[in-house]
Amino acid sequence: MKKSKISALLLCAAMALSVSAGCDNNNKSSKADKSASNAEKYNNPGNEESTKNTPQEMTINPNLGENQISAGIDEEADANDTVFKLNSVVDAGVQGSNGKKYIYLNVDITNNTDEDYSLSSLNNFYLLHDDNIMETSDLSTMFYAKNNLKDIEITQDPIIIPANSKFSGFISGFEVDPNLDSFIVGFYPTQNDIGNKQTVIEIEVTPDDIQPINN
């Protein structure tokens, strides 16, 4: 997947999160638009219409994803005083009535600063696949895991990482096409600045990297 396509797509998705900015009409039906809607509902539960994004949330980094760091599964990547490692990717199979399958990520995130900071699966993670579609986490996967999966305990957002400490565990999962078995996992080491997305850590996932899980 070419870097230019990834950068363009990331910029488009970020712009969709802004109330005053967006992609062109050809992209209005894309996953980026769904991501913007999910993000607003997540940040403003029960008050989506009356409470809009704050000016800080609407700020878009013009250098979005400019610094791309590649890593492999079970390989540490260090950026922005944060060490990230994707331990595993698990497939829970097709769930629900929409024919989508649920993908979960098990990660390690180390905070090498002297302050606690907060991350979220929605703002800091994405999946990117060959249809040039960005997938963001879906809360339905968290509820499904809680009620149906014995071996997966999802950490609910926000993910608080204490100073000089490490988080290890599963984040909220992704609803994807049942035939999807190759994609890129992206992680923004934003620390407490949700718009600090100049650097992104990317891990390419192949079919051999995905582990099936029994309900």
Side-chain angles (χ1 to χ4, degrees):
M1 189 176 300
K2 294 181 178 180
K3 178 177 178 181
S4 58
K5 286 187 177 181
I6 296 174
S7 299
L9 178 63
L10 295 179
L11 179 59
C12 180
M15 292 178 68
L17 293 174
S18 168
V19 177
S20 61
C23 300
D24 59 30
N25 292 333
N26 291 333
N27 291 328
K28 287 184 178 179
S29 61
S30 69
K31 286 285 183 178
D33 296 315
K34 177 183 176 183
S35 302
S37 176
N38 286 344
E40 187 165 330
K41 290 179 181 178
Y42 180 84
N43 290 322
N44 306 296
N47 193 26
E48 292 88 351
E49 294 300 324
S50 60
T51 306
K52 299 300 182 181
N53 290 338
T54 66
Q56 282 183 316
E57 291 171 328
M58 291 169 59
T59 301
I60 298 174
N61 188 338
N63 300 316
L64 181 73
E66 181 179 62
N67 301 326
Q68 295 180 1
I69 300 173
S70 297
I73 288 185
D74 205 30
E75 179 181 339
E76 291 186 344
D78 191 343
N80 201 17
D81 293 320
T82 304
V83 178
F84 175 74
K85 184 172 70 168
L86 176 62
N87 297 315
S88 63
V89 179
V90 297
D91 179 354
V94 175
Q95 308 299 337
S97 59
N98 61 0
K100 299 289 187 178
K101 72 176 179 180
Y102 288 0
I103 294 288
Y104 297 91
L105 308 179
N106 182 279
V107 302
D108 288 347
I109 306 172
T110 303
N111 173 11
N112 285 329
T113 73
D114 293 329
E115 297 182 355
D116 298 357
Y117 65 76
S118 172
L119 304 175
S120 77
S121 55
L122 183 61
N123 183 65
N124 292 85
F125 289 88
Y126 63 82
L127 301 187
L128 189 67
H129 52 86
D130 286 337
D131 293 333
N132 285 339
I133 293 177
M134 175 183 285
E135 312 277 0
T136 55
S137 67
D138 194 298
L139 290 177
S140 63
T141 62
M142 181 184 68
F143 300 133
Y144 176 81
K146 181 178 180 180
N147 295 323
N148 298 279
L149 301 179
K150 297 180 298 182
D151 300 326
I152 291 183
E153 181 178 351
I154 301 297
T155 299
Q156 188 171 351
D157 290 341
I159 302 168
I160 307 299
I161 309 178
N164 298 300
S165 297
K166 180 170 71 174
F167 163 83
S168 295
F170 285 94
I171 64 166
S172 293
F174 301 81
E175 282 190 341
V176 300
D177 186 277
N179 296 317
L180 182 66
D181 58 6
S182 297
F183 47 84
I184 288 173
V185 172
F187 170 72
Y188 293 111
T190 59
Q191 298 189 35
N192 280 322
D193 180 358
I194 65 172
N196 182 13
K197 295 184 176 182
Q198 181 172 353
T199 297
V200 61
I201 297 170
E202 294 188 329
I203 296 92
E204 186 170 355
V205 175
T206 67
D208 293 337
D209 298 322
I210 302 174
Q211 305 170 10
I213 187 168
N214 296 323
N215 297 359

